[in-house]
């Protein structure tokens, strides 16, 4: 007779048989997860945040839309392959490759800017698009790999990683506002003494070019820091070693070779001496199709508005060139705040049905943004953008921390990859 393994039965068995989890290194792991989450999107958010520079440089090519359209197919296509082959890929090497590619790509766009001295043209734009595609490939490796890995650890680790990803947007926005203010003040002072129109154009170009160089210099060094952090700090934490050995003992191949090098044995048997069997990726998807669709809807709605619509379709307002930057900054800050709200259990939405209802109701943002952009004042647009970011961060954490509960480690890893695939889809 075939054994029926329900999710509830698996959860109960795990809770009854699992030994007390170690807590040594927990706080350090939370901090490292935050930094790695930041590094997962820091380069891409840097590119998004200086889109006013790219709009100035490539006015005919709609970079705020094109760069996202180039980024996403590479991210989705690569992650689809990685999610399908998840159990056969060494997760450590996968994540290291992703962070290393972020570092190389950030360095490449920095060198491209320096070599061309910030000049426009089709060739330069194609180079920037190639870097955007490389960011997508790197994101597929790190975001899917890290969410999958952290899914079988503590929910606080996933929350911290996701908060770090949002923090990258908030930090780059804050840095962009500071650099814009600093360079505009310098530019205005220089303009007062300028006597030729050509000199004025050079100053305008410099006020965009120098912040871009600064952004990608910081991004390059930070991505290198993340490579070293994941390679030498994260795997040495006791709590991380515990969960990696635990998931390997439950049948995962993703860390077995690494653990064997450390002398950690990983027998894949249950208490009765029988080999553990994990559910297939297809079955996991069918059992969690509502969560997958929820994530798809969250980001389909968000990306239809942010950043392209906010960068190009907001009309003329009293904030002038600051307007789009303020909107993007408000989105990023509220997205970050939203990702911390679920830490308060009383405010965390856990009902699968209610999650879906709330997520579908976000579609009302589409007509709200349309009519606000056409008829509303800038204050209403800032408020709407803040709500968009707040709900995006909050609902993302609620879904990704709720879905893995009740599964074995290898299943949680696979499910994390599948959910991120729908997020990027």
């Amino acid at each position: 007779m075939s054994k029926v393994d329900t999710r509830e039965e698996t959860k109960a068995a795990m809770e009854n048989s699992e030994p007390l989890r170690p807590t040594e290194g927990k706080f350090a792991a939370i901090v490292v997860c935050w930094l790695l989450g930041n590094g997962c999107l820091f380069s891409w958010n840097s590119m998004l945040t200086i889109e006013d520079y790219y709009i100035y440089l490539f006015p005919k090519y709609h970079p705020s839309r094109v760069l996202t359209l180039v980024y996403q197919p590479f991210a989705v296509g690569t992650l689809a392959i990685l999610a399908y082959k998840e159990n056969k890929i060494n997760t450590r090497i996968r994540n290291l490759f992703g962070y290393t590619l972020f570092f190389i790509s950030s360095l490449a766009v920095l060198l491209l800017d320096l070599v061309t001295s910030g000049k426009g043209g089709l060739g330069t734009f194609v180079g920037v698009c190639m870097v955007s595609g490389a960011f997508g490939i790197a994101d597929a490796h790190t975001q899917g790999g890290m969410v999958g890995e952290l899914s079988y650890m503590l929910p606080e680790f996933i929350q911290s990683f996701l908060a770090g990803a949002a923090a990258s947007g908030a930090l780059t926005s804050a840095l962009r506002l500071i650099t814009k203010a600093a360079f505009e003040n310098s530019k205005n002072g220089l303009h007062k003494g300028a006597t030729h129109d050509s000199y004025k154009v050079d100053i305008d170009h410099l006020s965009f070019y120098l912040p871009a160089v600064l952004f990608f210099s910081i991004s390059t060094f930070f991505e290198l820091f993340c490579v070293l952090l994941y390679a030498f700090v994260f795997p040495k934490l006791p709590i991380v070693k515990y969960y990696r050995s635990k998931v390997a003992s439950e049948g995962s191949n993703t860390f077995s070779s690494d653990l064997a090098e450390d002398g950690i044995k990983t027998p894949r048997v249950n208490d009765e001496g029988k080999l553990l069997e994990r559910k297939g990726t297809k079955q996991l998807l069918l059992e969690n199709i509502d969560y997958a669709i929820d994530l798809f809807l969250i980001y389909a709605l968000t990306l239809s508005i942010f950043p392209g619509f906010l960068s190009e379709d907001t009309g003329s307002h009293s904030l002038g060139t600051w307007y789009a930057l303020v909107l993007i900054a408000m989105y990023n800050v509220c997205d970050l705040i939203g990702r911390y709200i679920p830490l308060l259990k009383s405010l965390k939405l856990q009902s699968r049905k209610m999650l879906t209802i709330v997520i579908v109701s976000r579609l009302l943002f589409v007509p709200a943004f349309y009519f606000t952009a056409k008829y509303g004042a800038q204050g209403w647009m800032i408020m709407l953008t803040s709500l968009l970011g707040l709900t995006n961060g909050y609902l993302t954490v609620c879904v990704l921390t709720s879905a893995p509960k009740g599964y074995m480690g290898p299943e949680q890893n696979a499910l994390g990859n599948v959910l991120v695939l729908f997020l990027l889809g």
Side-chain angles (χ1 to χ4, degrees), residues 194-210:
T195 56
H196 301 288
D197 290 339
S198 60
Y199 183 62
K200 179 178 179 180
V201 171
D202 288 340
I203 295 171
D204 287 337
H205 175 75
L206 202 63
S207 68
F208 283 109
Y209 172 64
L210 292 180

Side-chain angles (χ1 to χ4, degrees), residues 276-415:
L276 291 169
E277 294 183 4
R278 53 156 281 185
K279 295 179 180 179
T281 303
K282 182 179 178 181
Q283 184 178 356
L284 290 170
L285 174 59
L286 291 175
E287 291 180 1
N288 295 276
I289 190 65
D290 54 333
Y291 284 134
I293 293 174
D294 285 347
L295 282 172
F296 178 87
L297 289 176
I298 290 172
Y299 284 86
L301 184 280
T302 297
L303 289 174
S304 70
I305 298 169
F306 176 87
F309 179 84
L310 297 182
S311 297
E312 291 190 355
D313 297 330
T314 51
S316 299
H317 297 276
S318 61
L319 287 172
T321 58
W322 287 82
Y323 187 50
L325 292 181
V326 169
L327 289 178
I328 291 173
M330 289 304 300
Y331 169 86
N332 285 325
V333 169
C334 290
D335 184 31
L336 174 60
I337 294 171
R339 296 182 188 221
Y340 279 100
I341 294 175
L343 287 177
L344 301 174
K345 292 185 179 180
S346 60
L347 297 179
K348 183 178 179 182
L349 188 59
Q350 301 189 61
S351 167
R352 297 174 75 155
K353 185 176 181 180
M354 284 304 300
L355 272 172
T356 301
I357 291 173
V358 172
I359 289 166
V360 171
S361 69
R362 288 179 83 239
L363 294 173
L364 294 173
F365 274 123
V366 174
F369 269 95
Y370 174 78
F371 286 108
T372 303
K374 197 168 184 178
Y375 305 110
Q378 63 187 21
W380 288 104
M381 181 63 79
I382 292 172
M383 183 194 73
L384 267 182
T385 303
S386 300
L387 288 175
L388 179 72
L390 193 72
T391 55
N392 185 86
Y394 172 76
L395 293 170
T396 298
V397 171
C398 285
V399 172
L400 286 176
T401 55
S402 297
K405 290 181 179 179
Y407 289 107
M408 292 193 305
E411 295 167 341
Q412 292 171 324
N413 194 350
L415 180 58

Side-chain angles (χ1 to χ4, degrees), residues 58-253:
F58 312 109
K60 298 180 180 179
Y61 303 133
H62 300 282
S64 63
R65 300 175 187 275
V66 173
L67 292 178
T68 302
L69 290 174
V70 171
Y71 172 93
Q72 291 299 141
F74 280 99
V76 174
T78 303
L79 185 54
I81 297 170
L82 293 172
Y84 181 73
K85 299 286 187 178
E86 168 270 329
N87 198 40
K88 299 177 181 179
I89 298 173
N90 185 303
T91 301
R92 181 182 65 85
I93 294 176
R94 168 184 172 174
N95 289 333
L96 275 177
F97 174 81
Y99 283 114
T100 303
L101 184 56
F102 270 129
F103 164 67
I104 294 172
S105 303
S106 298
L107 181 61
V109 76
L110 173 62
L111 293 176
L112 181 65
D113 254 13
L114 293 174
V115 169
T116 61
S117 298
K119 303 297 182 183
L122 181 59
T124 305
F125 184 66
V126 170
V128 173
C129 287
M130 290 175 65
V131 171
S132 179
F135 283 159
I137 295 172
D139 184 20
H141 280 79
T142 56
Q143 191 167 183
M146 287 301 299
V147 169
E149 181 177 358
L150 299 178
S151 290
Y152 60 75
M153 298 186 188
L154 296 176
E156 293 94 322
F157 291 178
I158 280 196
Q159 184 278 327
S160 185
F161 178 82
L162 295 174
S168 68
L171 290 172
T172 51
S173 289
L175 184 59
R176 182 66 185 105
L177 292 172
I178 292 169
T179 55
K180 182 175 176 62
F183 282 107
E184 277 206 349
N185 289 335
S186 300
K187 182 179 71 174
N188 291 335
L190 289 170
H191 276 175
K192 291 178 182 179
T195 56
H196 301 288
D197 290 339
S198 60
Y199 183 62
K200 179 178 179 180
V201 171
D202 288 340
I203 295 171
D204 287 337
H205 175 75
L206 202 63
S207 68
F208 283 109
Y209 172 64
L210 292 180
V213 171
L214 176 63
F215 261 70
F216 281 106
S217 297
I218 295 172
S219 179
T220 300
F221 283 109
F222 187 73
E223 294 300 346
L224 178 60
F225 173 68
C226 286
V227 172
L228 300 175
L229 199 63
Y230 185 79
F232 300 109
V233 178
F234 189 66
K236 302 300 181 183
L237 298 174
I239 195 167
V240 173
K241 286 184 177 181
Y242 165 76
Y243 279 108
R244 284 183 173 181
S245 61
K246 178 177 178 294
V247 74
S249 71
E250 292 173 343
S252 175
N253 299 315

